């Protein structure tokens, strides 16, 4: 843990590089520090995964955009062509509310910057949500963490 899962409407695959977004998000997560200047997220435990939704319905299906005439000049526009991105960060308990808020601000700023060029061309809704345990069962098995432990 932490895991950031990104769910998005599949038409975005033709317009943005989601692998780049994943890397930017992971890199941003690794910059988040607690009140003592310590990293909040362990390098070996940081995961960002993105999944396109091939089937979706967003808002009114594009009617408002069509009525406003915004799709006439938009190469990606059309009825039902709104896009949506949902980012869900799941982290374990024990971090202060200030740290949680700081992590959220860091990640939403990365998302806003990443999608800014696309938002200039189309309508996108972006939601970032952070969920914190309690875990009912939390087992881990990994040989990644030793790679990042300092001797």
């Amino acid at each position: 843990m932490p895991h950031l899962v990104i769910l998005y409407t599949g038409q975005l695959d033709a317009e943005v590089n989601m692998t780049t977004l994943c890397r930017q998000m992971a890199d941003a997560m690794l910059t988040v520090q607690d009140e003592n200047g310590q990293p909040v997220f362990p390098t070996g435990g940081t995961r960002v995964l993105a999944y396109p939704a091939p089937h979706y319905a967003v808002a009114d299906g594009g009617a408002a955009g069509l009525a406003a005439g915004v799709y006439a000049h938009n190469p990606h526009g059309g009825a039902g062509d709104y896009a949506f991105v949902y980012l869900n960060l799941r982290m374990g308990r024990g971090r202060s509310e200030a740290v949680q808020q700081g992590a959220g601000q860091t990640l939403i700023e990365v998302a806003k910057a990443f999608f800014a060029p696309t938002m200039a061309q189309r309508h996108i809704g972006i939601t970032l949500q952070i969920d914190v345990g309690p875990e009912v069962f939390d087992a881990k098995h990994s040989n990644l963490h030793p790679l990042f432990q300092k001797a």
Side-chain angles (χ1 to χ4, degrees):
M1 201 81 86
H3 303 152
L4 175 63
V5 177
I6 304 170
L7 305 174
Y8 62 96
T9 52
Q11 85 273 43
L12 287 173
D13 276 336
E15 300 171 39
V16 298
N17 184 326
M18 294 306 281
T19 299
T20 299
L21 176 62
C22 289
R23 181 75 264 154
Q24 288 179 7
M25 288 295 194
D27 290 345
M29 289 168 68
L30 295 175
T31 69
V32 177
Q33 296 181 347
D34 66 14
E35 295 87 351
N36 299 319
Q38 296 300 307
V40 170
F41 304 122
T43 303
T46 299
R47 321 269 199 266
V48 180
L49 309 164
Y51 300 94
H55 311 284
Y56 52 86
V58 179
D60 65 1
L66 287 169
V70 296
Y71 294 131
H73 55 59
N74 184 344
H76 303 294
D81 203 50
Y82 299 137
F84 183 72
V85 180
Y86 174 69
L87 303 105
N88 180 244
L89 176 62
R90 177 97 174 131
M91 67 171 75
R93 291 179 286 179
R95 294 166 180 98
S96 70
E97 186 174 328
V99 167
Q100 294 168 13
Q101 295 291 322
Q105 266 316 121
T106 297
L107 293 175
I108 196 66
E109 292 305 321
V110 171
K112 287 166 56 177
F114 180 83
F115 285 108
T118 308
M119 289 184 93
Q121 300 295 314
R122 68 151 52 257
H123 291 90
I124 301 176
I126 300 172
T127 296
L128 171 69
Q129 186 173 28
I130 296 178
D131 294 328
V132 178
E135 298 79 15
V136 175
F137 179 79
D138 186 24
K140 295 173 178 65
H141 179 71
S142 172
N143 62 0
L144 286 172
H145 289 280
L147 290 170
F148 306 104
Q149 292 174 350
K150 295 180 175 117

